[in-house]
Amino acid sequence: MLEAGAILEQVRSANPLVHNITNVVVTNFTANGLLAMGASPVMAYAREEAGEMAGIAGALVLNIGTLDETVVESMLIAGKGANEQNVPVVLDPVGAGATAYRTRTARKLIEELNIAVVRGNAAEIANVAGRNWDIKGVDGGQGKGDLAELAITAAKQFNSVVVITGKEDVVTDGKAVYIIKNGHPLLTKVTGAGCLLSSVIGAFLAVENNHVNAAAAALAFYGVAAERAAGLAGGEGPGTFQVQLLNSLSFVSSKEINEKAVIMNGGGK
Ligand code: ATP
Ligand code: TZP
Ligand code: MG
Ligand code: MG
């Protein structure tokens, strides 16, 4: 039985440095979310320092939300610096499938780097894996399919753990599959809720070498924190929820995670 709360405790006691090369929309929210949960965020983009910073971090998170060639070059330098020091790398392929440039860049990062976890909505993962799946900008579209099957195929293709998020989340390394049923619809009304989650996964990878377990625990933690935040928001809208999400990332206890996490074995081997 996966003890998500125990991994959260390890994060809070280790206070891992998480190096993010992310998008301009979510930078502040990501840093505050990581601080709230007990990790230590840093954003470092310059090619002169990206490899060095990644090499001393507990995890590196690459997010293509507002990419350009300078950022992509820094991501490759940072990714290589992380790989050399066995620092786990998370990729969030924001908007892959919306434009050919995003799809191409996500594939290039996967080909040239050793990525521990790729986290996206179903449309992003499907498009990077070469399947047609409707996407609207950075928001998952209306495509339908077997998400566990998609995640398993993508994990084998990318040679990494794949996380597909939505109403339910799927995590797999191509063999073991977990379905996580925590979360709240208000997460879809706060920009960067997915991006912050990718960085939270990075913080969990920094302390847990079993990447499937680390990702599943991070999803349960985040989902339970969101449920707590929605309760505290008391029927108010996304603004109050966003503030309460930060508070809940800080205050949700490992006991509450273990009691409320809904992590199902989704088949696989
Ligand atoms: P999108 O742009 O499609 O919203 P995203 O990158 O923002 O994608 P999400 O799929 O929204 O990422 O996932 C972010 C978090 O929101 C995850 O913890 C996920 O479980 C949760 N989530 C997303 N949709 C729902 C929902 N309808 N109900 C409950 N939780 C949800
Ligand atoms: N545009 C480019 S990146 C970005 C937007 C709106 C943020 C996307 O954040 P998320 O977490 O995928 O909703
Ligand atoms: Mg979302
Ligand atoms: Mg996203």
Side-chain angles (χ1 to χ4, degrees):
M1 175 63 197
L2 175 64
E3 283 275 319
I7 307 180
L8 173 64
E9 291 287 312
Q10 286 179 54
V11 174
R12 286 183 173 156
S13 90
N15 186 229
L17 180 67
V18 180
H19 177 193
N20 305 270
I21 300 184
T22 189
N23 67 74
V24 299
V25 182
V26 306
T27 304
N28 178 273
F29 183 54
T30 301
N32 277 322
L34 285 169
L35 278 175
M37 71 170 289
S40 179
V42 65
M43 280 60 179
Y45 296 79
R47 49 185 291 179
E48 290 81 359
E49 66 167 358
E52 188 184 353
M53 186 66 83
I56 57 165
L60 170 70
V61 182
L62 304 177
N63 177 311
I64 67 166
T66 50
L67 75 178
D68 62 35
E69 275 315 277
T70 315
V71 170
V72 175
E73 189 190 355
S74 292
M75 287 183 176
L76 288 166
I77 293 169
K80 283 172 186 154
N83 286 168
E84 275 166 22
Q85 300 300 324
N86 286 321
V87 172
V89 182
V90 179
L91 172 65
D92 188 331
V94 180
T99 65
Y101 180 45
R102 284 171 189 262
T103 312
R104 195 165 68 234
T105 300
R107 289 182 186 156
K108 183 181 169 81
L109 292 168
I110 288 168
E111 272 159 31
E112 296 197 16
L113 300 173
N114 181 4
I115 308 270
V117 175
V118 182
R119 200 280 328 157
N121 60 44
E124 290 160 348
I125 299 298
N127 279 289
V128 180
R131 295 193 192 181
N132 259 334
W133 197 295
D134 182 41
I135 183 159
K136 184 168 138 200
V138 299
D139 287 330
Q142 299 300 316
K144 282 201 172 31
D146 180 339
L147 296 186
E149 184 276 328
L150 170 62
I152 290 170
T153 305
K156 289 180 181 158
Q157 201 178 320
F158 305 163
N159 195 24
S160 74
V161 168
V162 164
V163 176
I164 296 178
T165 54
K167 187 169 183 300
E168 296 179 1
D169 306 323
V170 182
V171 185
T172 183
D173 57 0
K175 296 195 277 286
V177 182
Y178 289 118
I179 313 286
I180 290 87
K181 299 196 173 182
N182 298 102
H184 194 278
L186 275 171
L187 283 167
T188 66
K189 301 294 176 199
V190 174
T191 192
C195 300
L196 170 55
L197 170 61
S198 295
S199 292
V200 169
I201 291 172
F204 275 64
L205 293 179
V207 301
E208 171 57 57
N209 289 331
N210 181 324
H211 293 163
V212 184
N213 284 358
L219 290 165
F221 161 62
Y222 199 74
V224 171
E227 290 164 12
R228 184 182 186 278
L232 291 170
E236 291 188 20
T240 308
F241 173 75
Q242 184 181 23
V243 171
Q244 292 299 353
L245 181 60
L246 290 179
N247 291 337
S248 293
L249 289 170
S250 183
F251 290 128
V252 75
S253 67
S254 53
K255 184 165 171 283
E256 192 172 349
I257 303 298
N258 288 338
E259 282 168 3
K260 298 197 175 148
V262 184
I263 305 175
M264 325 278 291
N265 196 320
K269 289 173 247 160

